[in-house]
Amino acid sequence: MTNWCMFAFTPNVDILHMSYMRILSGIQPSGVLHIGNYFGMMRPAIALQAEGEAFYFIADYHALTSVRDPTMLRENSRRVALDFLACGLDPERAALFQQSDVPQVTELAWILSAVAPMGLLERSHSYKDKLARGLAATVGLFNYPVLMAADILIYDSDVVPVGKDQKQHIEITRDLAVKMNETFGSEPDGWIFKLPEPRIQAATEVVPGIDGQKMSKSYGNNIDIFGDEKETRKRVMSIVTDSAPVEAPKDPSGSTIFQLYSLVASKDEVAEVREQFQKGGTGYGEFKKQLFEKLWEHFAPMRKRREEMLADRSYIDNVLARGAERANEVADQVMKRVRSAVGLR
Ligand code: AMP
Ligand code: TRP
């Protein structure tokens, strides 16, 4: 689908002078957040909150496809909210809410599933990856991209900041939006959905874990954002390297240590460490120590903010309640349009 269609179906919006942009992203509360989540999704999302109206949510319906413990789901959801706020999400600028506080999204997912071609979902990488990792082949897991499309479309989202692994899901969302527009939209102004764009940061599209593979909770190679000091140090010190001896020159480009260091150090510091790698004479153990120091320092202000927020339990509840209110306002409007377009009352 080309941009032409987006222009054709987008109503009352002067694209050339568009200063308003709605930004949306979600994160599953299926475990503790790691620095791959931070650099891949949270930091770009936080940076974007100043550029438009942002909606960020905790994808608890999605997490039901893998979490089977209700206490854990509730605790993780709260913790993700806390961590996201501690990392700089500003609830005055962005609505933060739980996905299940907007249950209309499951209605939209059903409507979308009525037009979603099986073949489109059968091509989903993430479904195949999840089965390969041992998750049960449930209908919910298969239908996951349809619910994600509903998440995005129900807020008329323009931009979706995510890591690279979510790119195909945004493509599926666009395909479903086009399908709905073609099936139920009556031209010239009978559009139903906008076509959202993914926003993927090239520099952090895949943050490596301590074994050099993509960092992921399910691979056990994660460094957590708010892990304790001892554990974080241990994780950094166990980053896998080649066996080059201290005196040998080392290749920074293939090094997980160097890649992670580049995320947290200044330009000059990165240039200096690059030179140390290439020159030889410094062992990987030393580089790991430098990386740990930088990482620990990078997240220090966020740890402090997190401690402060922990002291006030009602703060997070209030933020989530306000976020849900705003999200419901928009979702209700969009669902009115959708229900009318497809022939529901
Ligand atoms: P997940 O924990 O898989 O639900 O991911 C939440 C968000 O973090 C998604 O936008 C992912 O694309 C992003 N993300 C997760 N792991 C990484 C990684 N290793 N590198 C970059 N982005 C990531
Ligand atoms: N699938 C995303 C992940 O695993 C989470 C998610 C659910 C999401 N709905 C979304 C992300 C909508 C962006 C937009 O990371």
Side-chain angles (χ1 to χ4, degrees), residues 284-312:
Y284 285 123
E286 184 51 41
F287 288 128
K288 288 178 185 176
K289 277 189 201 149
Q290 290 182 29
L291 169 61
F292 169 76
E293 294 303 331
K294 277 280 149 211
L295 258 180
W296 194 249
E297 194 184 302
H298 185 84
F299 289 105
M302 304 171 204
R303 272 194 302 277
K304 184 161 174 277
R305 218 175 305 151
R306 191 172 184 273
E307 285 304 312
E308 287 160 8
M309 276 190 286
L310 267 176
D312 178 3

Side-chain angles (χ1 to χ4, degrees), residues 69-80:
D69 176 337
T71 308
M72 194 195 266
L73 184 60
R74 257 188 294 272
E75 276 173 10
N76 283 350
S77 298
R78 218 187 148 70
R79 190 165 169 167
V80 167

Side-chain angles (χ1 to χ4, degrees), residues 18-19 22 37 41 44 58 74 90 100 115 123-124 132 138 164 220 264 274 296 301:
M18 198 164 66
S19 57
R22 189 165 288 150
N37 297 132
M41 181 277 202
I58 298 151
R74 257 188 294 272
D90 176 358
S100 59
V115 301
R123 288 193 291 276
S124 161
T138 59
K164 190 181 168 198
V264 285
R274 183 195 299 279
W296 194 249

Side-chain angles (χ1 to χ4, degrees), residues 109-126:
W110 174 255
I111 294 172
L112 296 179
S113 75
V115 301
M118 284 294 284
L120 184 66
L121 300 185
E122 278 163 356
R123 288 193 291 276
S124 161
H125 307 310
S126 84

Side-chain angles (χ1 to χ4, degrees), residues 154-266:
I154 205 167
Y155 302 111
D156 281 342
S157 312
D158 298 295
V159 172
V160 186
V162 280
K164 190 181 168 198
D165 57 350
Q166 299 298 314
K167 188 163 177 247
Q168 193 190 31
H169 286 151
I170 318 286
E171 285 160 5
I172 293 174
T173 303
R174 290 170 62 93
D175 285 348
L176 293 180
V178 169
K179 189 103 191 149
M180 287 292 289
N181 288 344
E182 285 175 352
T183 310
F184 296 110
S186 52
E187 293 209 53
D189 57 359
W191 72 290
I192 303 173
F193 293 121
K194 278 188 189 174
L195 302 193
E197 299 281 349
R199 182 73 66 90
I200 298 167
Q201 302 284 315
T204 55
E205 58 181 28
V206 181
V207 177
I210 60 176
D211 60 356
Q213 307 242 62
K214 179 196 156 197
M215 185 175 291
S216 168
K217 211 169 32 236
S218 48
Y219 302 155
N221 62 0
N222 43 311
I223 299 175
D224 295 337
I225 307 174
F226 296 111
D228 74 27
E229 187 168 357
K230 196 164 154 220
E231 177 62 21
T232 307
R233 190 191 304 272
K234 198 170 119 201
R235 296 234 127 206
V236 171
M237 294 313 288
S238 48
I239 289 173
V240 176
T241 63
D242 60 30
S243 50
V246 173
E247 61 283 2
K250 300 169 181 69
D251 177 15
S253 63
S255 162
T256 303
I257 306 173
F258 186 75
Q259 277 187 61
L260 295 179
Y261 189 80
S262 308
L263 295 172
V264 285
S266 69

